[in-house]
């Protein structure tokens, strides 16, 4: 498990660098506050492969860390698989780029990106809810419930204040993936009998 934990931590650190540093090298109108992480990976954006690769790598690392740590919690492992897989697919399918009036985009890819982005959010919340069922300690349950509430609240804030969606999403991703690491590695869980 230590190897997969180390790999996850390194890829998570890479993801943080991409989220907070790549915007300064992206298209000139890009705003860390207003534009989302996946807009860094949108079609025809310079360096989009970096953002998309980091999303795919983090999804794969999450899947394997979950596979190792949740092996006796089958239902939670399946939920984490759906979260990881949909997150990976948000990196595979690129959203339409920022230059809507100047270039043609593949809107089928954009549609799939939006679909898997939505599924990722629901799958994360569903995983949190299922994880609550098997946690042993009150402290771990409170942290998980807090993360679930934060994920729902952040999504609401993104919809309500789209001009701040970039920074809200960055805070959400930073919190969610760091929480996920500790939840998988250190939270005490009951074993499933499936």
């Amino acid at each position: 498990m230590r190897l997969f934990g180390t790999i996850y931590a390194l890829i998570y650190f890479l993801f943080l660098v991409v989220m907070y540093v790549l915007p300064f090298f992206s298209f000139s109108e890009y705003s860390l506050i207003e534009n989302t992480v996946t807009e860094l990976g949108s079609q025809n954006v310079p360096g989009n492969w970096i953002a998309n690769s980091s999303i795919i790598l983090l999804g794969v690392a999450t899947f394997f860390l979950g596979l190792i740590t949740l092996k006796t919690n089958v239902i939670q492992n399946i939920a984490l698989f759906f979260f990881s897989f949909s997150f990976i697919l948000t990196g595979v399918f690129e959203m339409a780029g920022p230059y809507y009036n100047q270039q043609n985009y593949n809107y089928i890819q954009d549609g799939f990106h939006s679909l898997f982005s939505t599924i990722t959010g629901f799958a994360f919340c569903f995983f949190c809810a299922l994880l609550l069922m098997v946690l042993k300690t009150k402290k771990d349950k409170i942290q998980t419930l807090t993360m679930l509430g934060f994920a729902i609240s952040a999504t609401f804030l993104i919809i309500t204040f789209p001009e701040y969606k970039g920074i809200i999403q960055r805070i959400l991703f930073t919190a969610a993936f760091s929480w996920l690491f500790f939840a998988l590695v250190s939270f005490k869980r009951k074993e499933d009998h499936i």
Side-chain angles (χ1 to χ4, degrees):
M1 180 178 75
R2 181 168 289 172
L3 173 65
F4 287 100
T6 302
I7 291 170
Y8 180 95
L10 290 172
I11 292 173
Y12 172 66
F13 177 74
L14 170 70
F15 184 69
L16 290 176
V17 170
V18 168
M19 277 200 311
Y20 292 104
V21 176
L22 187 60
F24 297 104
F25 302 97
S26 190
F27 57 96
S28 58
E29 296 86 12
Y30 189 91
S31 165
L32 197 72
I33 305 296
E34 189 174 344
N35 297 104
T36 63
V37 176
T38 54
E39 287 178 273
L40 286 172
S42 59
Q43 299 172 40
N44 301 324
V45 167
N48 66 349
W49 66 272
I50 299 169
N52 292 326
S53 297
S54 70
I55 289 169
I56 292 167
L57 285 172
L58 188 56
V60 170
T62 302
F63 168 74
F64 280 108
L65 185 60
L67 192 64
I68 297 299
T69 59
L70 292 172
K71 55 188 167 200
T72 60
N73 302 112
V74 177
I75 296 169
Q76 290 73 19
N77 207 343
I78 291 169
L80 188 66
F81 166 77
F82 280 111
F83 166 71
S84 301
F85 190 64
S86 60
F87 190 66
I88 290 166
L89 291 177
T90 63
V92 170
F93 295 104
E94 299 173 355
M95 69 186 300
Y99 310 110
Y100 294 102
N101 298 328
Q102 301 169 16
Q103 299 186 24
N104 293 324
Y105 292 106
N106 183 333
Y107 288 102
I108 293 173
Q109 265 204 57
D110 181 65
F112 277 121
H113 175 85
S114 294
L115 172 68
F116 290 115
S117 179
T118 302
I119 291 171
T120 297
F122 281 113
F124 181 78
C125 292
F126 188 57
F127 170 74
C128 290
L130 287 176
L131 189 63
L132 279 169
M133 297 168 49
V134 296
L135 292 176
K136 287 183 177 180
T137 70
K138 185 176 181 180
K139 181 187 83 155
D140 293 345
K141 288 180 181 181
I142 290 170
Q143 288 179 11
T144 301
L145 200 55
T146 302
M147 188 66 244
L148 176 59
F150 180 68
I152 293 168
S153 300
T155 303
F156 175 76
L157 288 172
I158 287 170
I159 293 166
T160 307
F161 303 104
E163 64 275 16
Y164 298 106
K165 68 183 181 232
I167 194 66
I168 296 168
Q169 186 193 56
R170 281 173 174 78
I171 293 167
L172 174 60
F173 281 176
T174 302
F177 283 102
S178 60
W179 168 84
L180 194 53
F181 175 77
F182 290 105
L184 292 174
V185 173
S186 64
F187 285 11
K188 304 293 183 224
R189 297 178 302 272
K190 304 169 196 168
E191 292 187 13
D192 281 349
H193 299 289
I194 295 176

